[in-house]
Amino acid sequence: MTDGIETERKYLIRLPEEGFLARGEKWEITQTYLTAAHGNRRVREVKTDEGTKYIYTEKHRLSVLSCREEEREITRDAYLALLAEARADSAPIQKTRYRIPYGGHMLEIDRFPFWSDTALLEVELADENDLFSLPDTVTVLREVSGDPLYKNTNIARYLKAHPDEALPQ
């Protein structure tokens, strides 16, 4: 279980070569947003080489870069029960996440089925002033930390409203 402040920057990037992605851990994620009075709630089914786990998360935004996050692993039965609380205005998000340690930080590269050569990269930071660098193999198109379109809650809404369209780049 985690309970604390999550601070991250997010970038729209060109999808790196498979060799770079293979340097990290690969997660297949199905992410579903749940109804909430405030903040946001979600459940994830995460498949890795070690098996499948289910995670429940609550987030409350503090700033553009930071949020209070409470996260815990749950049982499969709890996950299936919580799916009944899925937001009607949102579609589940399918993504492949590559978790690659680099320069003392964790890079999380999310590859979505609606993009063939683009991805989102998140860098978890100690605080909003934490300095970091990205590898030369990562081509940043632009930072999207403050762009609401690239928040996962809004991606889920976009996919529900436009099921046959790619998210704009």
Side-chain angles (χ1 to χ4, degrees):
M1 180 172 144
T2 63
D3 185 6
I5 306 298
E6 176 190 57
T7 302
E8 63 188 15
R9 289 195 175 272
K10 187 181 282 193
Y11 299 90
L12 185 66
I13 64 169
R14 286 279 167 234
L15 185 65
E17 293 183 13
E18 289 295 326
F20 177 75
L21 297 174
R23 293 170 42 186
E25 185 178 15
K26 181 179 174 182
W27 292 3
E28 296 294 340
I29 298 173
T30 301
Q31 183 166 300
T32 304
Y33 283 90
L34 308 174
T35 57
H38 55 75
N40 72 55
R41 301 183 317 137
R42 71 170 186 230
V43 288
R44 282 181 171 168
E45 177 184 61
V46 179
K47 296 179 180 181
T48 67
D49 289 341
E50 287 78 45
T52 301
K53 60 184 173 181
Y54 303 92
I55 301 168
Y56 173 82
T57 306
E58 290 185 21
K59 289 188 177 194
H60 304 277
R61 182 74 34 210
L62 301 173
S63 72
V64 170
L65 300 179
S66 299
C67 65
R68 179 170 312 286
E69 179 179 81
E70 300 169 30
E71 188 169 78
R72 69 179 184 275
E73 194 165 340
I74 59 175
T75 65
R76 182 178 188 277
D77 287 342
Y79 168 79
L80 293 173
L82 284 165
L83 289 178
E85 299 177 39
R87 291 179 57 128
D89 67 346
S90 301
I93 296 173
Q94 303 286 331
K95 61 186 177 181
T96 302
R97 171 167 285 177
Y98 300 90
R99 301 185 76 242
I100 303 165
Y102 180 81
H105 292 88
M106 181 61 70
L107 307 181
E108 294 181 334
I109 298 173
D110 289 344
R111 182 179 198 172
F112 298 91
F114 50 78
W115 286 335
S116 61
D117 63 350
T118 309
L120 289 176
L121 177 142
E122 296 176 355
V123 180
E124 301 230 359
L125 306 172
D127 61 54
E128 291 191 9
N129 298 311
D130 193 4
L131 299 176
F132 65 96
S133 63
L134 296 174
D136 293 339
T137 56
V138 172
T139 301
V140 174
L141 301 175
R142 68 181 179 281
E143 182 171 4
V144 294
S145 300
D147 188 333
L149 179 62
Y150 297 99
K151 299 288 183 204
N152 280 296
T153 54
N154 293 330
I155 292 173
R157 287 186 193 115
Y158 184 89
L159 293 174
K160 180 71 171 195
H162 307 91
D164 299 320
E165 294 180 28
L167 188 72
Q169 297 178 33

